[in-house]
Amino acid sequence: MANDIAIVGYAQSPSLRQAELTEPQFLFPVISEAIERAGVERREIGFTCAGSCDYLSGQTFAFVMNLEAVGAWPPISESHVEMDGAWALYEAWVRLQHGDIDTALVFGSGKSSPGLPAEIYPLQMDPYTLTPLGADPVSLAALQARAMLDAGKITEREMAETATRSRKNAIGNPYAQVTGDDDPETLLKEPYVTAPLRRHDLPPISDGACAVVLATADKAKALSKRPVWIRGIDHRIDIHQPGMRDLTESPSTRIAGKNAGVGKGKVDVAELSATFSYQEKLLSQELGLGDGVEINPSGGPLAANPVMAVGLARFAEAARQIAERGKKRAVAHATSGQCLQQNLVAVLEGD
Amino acid sequence: MQERLTTHTIEFPYTRTLGPVYSAFLTGMRDGQVLGIKSRDGRVLCPPTEWDPTTGDALDGDLVPVGPGGVVTTWAWVTEPSRKHPLDHPFAFALIKLDGADTGLLHVVDAGGIDSMQTGMRVVPRWKQERIGHITDLEAFVPEGSK
């Protein structure tokens, strides 16, 4: 079937509420570090693919500026997705299947601080029935959380426990923005932001970037002592209108997980783009992750949410668990759109 | 230093059609009537779509009136509305399954306070006086019997 592709280098920027630097400026060291870790020469890279969101910059083709951080002279072969960098990784994975090149650079970046995300994201939705209502990500997530609460599929206490664990896990993570050791009781005393969601149920607003270097099998073995193999990867989409599906399920996650082969072996650790607290349990169940699976040891998106890099960062963190922490098999998940509309799942393994 | 201002007017010098389904749906809004569409399996979808969401088959434009009332299937209480929200005071976003429809329409409920909201409650539309063929011609839903 597919050729084996490995992650041979990765790097992230710290997630900040407001980065002083421009996006190309904070991308530059991240890309350089990922390439250095991979041990390749910049000129060897056969394909470059980026994920970012022009809406955040309020400017068409804003993503072209980010190539300043890559070094595009002499001309390089590159592409861009208006999605999280995880989908750029998917495109690079497909490109490497052709076999004519052996390395690819992937990055995702976003600077959410200059604008108001609650006012920007409705612009990406159905322009006739959803955008005019100003349907923002937090309100839509709150609809999904309420549906799960009403169905008895989660409790507010469980949501607070997820937030608590994320913040504690993030204490050791130098890239994290939200850390802490509050217990669930303390968090549950806070008022609702958009009921039934409290502040701890929401991701932070972050500026940040992530980069990953991929290589084909022979190249990966030559470059790295511990290549992290992508054993399976798939992405699926549910219908756009939030009222046309059962919000307490995520069929796209289930199908992508099955196609990626999540259930074919024991999973040690999973890095999930559970951008809102309630999503972690939903995703875990759809992916069939049992009690023995460590979820989001980095703290996950509740601790750092660099939009357009947060999904790719799940790949970097899952790869770290294998390359640096001795884990054997990991799941990386990314999401896009409202209420987990689009989901990408990959299975990563060490040798 | 004196602040210097300039005004730009961006124009799109063309008209476009919304197609057979959204065009009928939004014309219905102008007339104070919400429309759904029958899918291949006999369900009524509201808001209507040009394609069956499950199979991808084209739907033949068989639009049917739904509502005016309906049931709240899930909701979120917005304490601090943004400039882009249709109401300037606290309100609920809700998915509303209108009578005769099998799916939820996203809209707002002007309920006064969070204590007036609950899943399963019945709501009815409050229409604007001047309607232009826009989703916000339906100003808000309100709890049934609250007027």
Side-chain angles (χ1 to χ4, degrees):
Chain A
M1 287 259 293
N3 295 319
D4 274 342
I5 306 295
I7 294 172
V8 293
Y10 47 82
Q12 290 175 69
S13 74
S15 276
L16 303 172
R17 178 61 185 84
Q18 186 166 13
E20 301 266 323
L21 300 175
T22 66
E23 201 166 314
Q25 283 175 323
F26 65 69
L27 257 171
F28 186 83
V30 173
I31 288 171
S32 296
E33 186 186 339
I35 292 172
E36 276 166 31
R37 277 184 173 223
V40 292
E41 292 293 322
R42 208 171 270 249
R43 297 277 167 258
E44 287 182 74
I45 293 168
F47 181 62
T48 297
C49 196
S52 66
C53 175
D54 282 1
Y55 284 84
L56 291 178
S57 318
Q59 187 182 354
T60 48
F61 291 91
F63 67 89
V64 175
M65 308 289 253
N66 291 339
L67 287 173
E68 298 288 350
V70 178
W73 182 264
I76 60 169
S77 170
E78 62 85 29
S79 179
H80 171 261
V81 295
E82 188 78 10
M83 290 191 84
D84 189 288
W87 274 265
L89 181 143
Y90 185 86
E91 181 174 334
W93 180 87
V94 171
R95 179 64 188 84
L96 287 167
Q97 296 297 325
H98 288 252
D100 58 322
I101 57 168
D102 56 17
T103 45
L105 166 68
V106 179
F107 61 95
S109 57
K111 193 162 178 177
S112 295
S113 61
L116 295 168
E119 298 188 8
I120 292 169
Y121 286 110
L123 296 171
Q124 296 188 320
M125 306 192 68
D126 178 303
Y128 307 112
T129 61
L130 299 173
T131 300
L133 297 172
D136 58 284
V138 172
S139 296
L140 290 161
L143 292 177
Q144 188 169 34
R146 169 99 52 203
M148 288 190 66
L149 289 164
D150 285 344
K153 292 191 175 184
I154 202 161
T155 62
E156 291 184 30
R157 162 96 198 179
E158 284 178 297
M159 287 155 59
E161 284 170 355
T162 295
T164 302
R165 179 169 40 73
S166 293
R167 291 175 177 194
K168 280 184 183 161
N169 285 353
I171 287 173
N173 178 356
Y175 310 113
Q177 186 179 338
V178 180
T179 63
D181 57 2
D182 282 334
D183 52 31
E185 286 74 21
T186 308
L187 296 183
L188 284 168
K189 284 177 192 151
E190 294 290 315
Y192 292 117
V193 174
T194 298
L197 301 179
R198 297 178 174 85
R199 184 154 301 287
H200 64 257
D201 297 311
L202 276 48
I205 294 171
S206 311
D207 294 349
C210 179
V212 168
V213 178
L214 302 179
T216 53
D218 288 346
K219 183 74 172 180
K221 285 172 194 160
L223 284 172
S224 175
K225 283 183 187 146
R226 287 206 59 112
V228 176
W229 300 101
I230 301 171
R231 294 297 189 206
I233 185 167
D234 192 51
H235 64 97
R236 299 283 147 173
I237 305 177
D238 286 308
I239 188 164
H240 183 70
Q241 280 288 345
M244 284 193 188
R245 63 184 172 101
D246 182 348
L247 291 176
T248 71
E249 296 183 4
S250 181
S252 54
T253 301
R254 196 184 315 145
I255 297 167
K258 185 170 183 291
N259 291 346
V262 173
K264 286 182 184 167
K266 179 178 170 289
V267 177
D268 298 316
V269 59
E271 280 283 344
L272 307 177
S273 288
T275 316
F276 292 86
S277 63
Y278 71 88
Q279 293 175 345
E280 187 183 291
K281 189 178 178 191
L282 178 57
L283 292 168
S284 298
Q285 287 178 344
E286 296 291 16
L287 292 169
L289 305 177
D291 288 342
V293 182
E294 193 180 353
I295 309 278
N296 288 350
S298 67
L302 292 175
N305 182 40
V307 172
M308 299 294 144
V310 65
L312 187 61
R314 308 282 64 76
F315 277 81
E317 291 294 349
R320 182 195 315 287
Q321 289 294 321
I322 290 168
E324 301 176 37
R325 307 278 153 80
K327 301 283 170 48
K328 294 274 190 294
R329 195 161 184 271
V331 167
H333 162 267
T335 194
S336 183
Q338 78 289 357
C339 301
L340 298 170
Q341 190 209 349
Q342 308 175 39
N343 293 283
L344 182 150
V345 181
V347 174
L348 309 182
E349 285 180 3
D351 277 322
Chain B
M1 202 176 88
Q2 182 78 29
E3 198 172 278
R4 297 173 68 186
L5 293 175
T6 178
T7 302
H8 295 274
T9 303
I10 299 174
E11 291 185 28
F12 295 93
Y14 52 85
T15 56
R16 58 170 305 204
T17 170
L18 301 185
V21 173
Y22 268 179
S23 182
F25 175 67
L26 292 173
T27 302
M29 299 302 279
R30 189 193 64 193
D31 298 339
Q33 171 68 61
V34 183
L35 298 173
I37 195 167
K38 276 195 178 164
S39 70
R40 290 284 177 90
D41 58 9
R43 293 187 308 150
V44 174
L45 314 173
C46 180
T49 56
E50 291 186 14
W51 290 276
D52 188 297
T54 312
T55 64
D57 288 335
L59 298 176
D60 57 10
D62 190 6
L63 287 140
V64 292
V66 294
V71 173
V72 169
T73 59
T74 184
W75 55 280
W77 189 254
V78 178
T79 317
E80 292 180 31
S82 79
R83 290 180 303 174
K84 303 291 182 185
H85 287 151
L87 300 176
D88 61 4
H89 52 270
F91 70 95
F93 269 116
L95 290 175
I96 297 156
K97 197 183 273 190
L98 291 168
D99 296 339
D102 295 287
T103 63
L105 173 75
L106 182 80
H107 219 289
V108 298
V109 179
D110 194 3
I114 188 170
D115 293 340
S116 302
M117 289 299 303
Q118 70 180 74
T119 305
M121 71 189 285
R122 286 197 57 82
V123 291
V124 292
R126 183 175 75 211
W127 294 97
K128 283 182 184 162
Q129 290 296 320
E130 283 193 30
R131 298 190 293 270
I132 56 169
H134 198 264
I135 188 78
T136 55
D137 286 349
L138 200 166
E139 191 171 55
F141 284 87
V142 295
E144 193 172 71
S146 67
K147 280 194 230 177

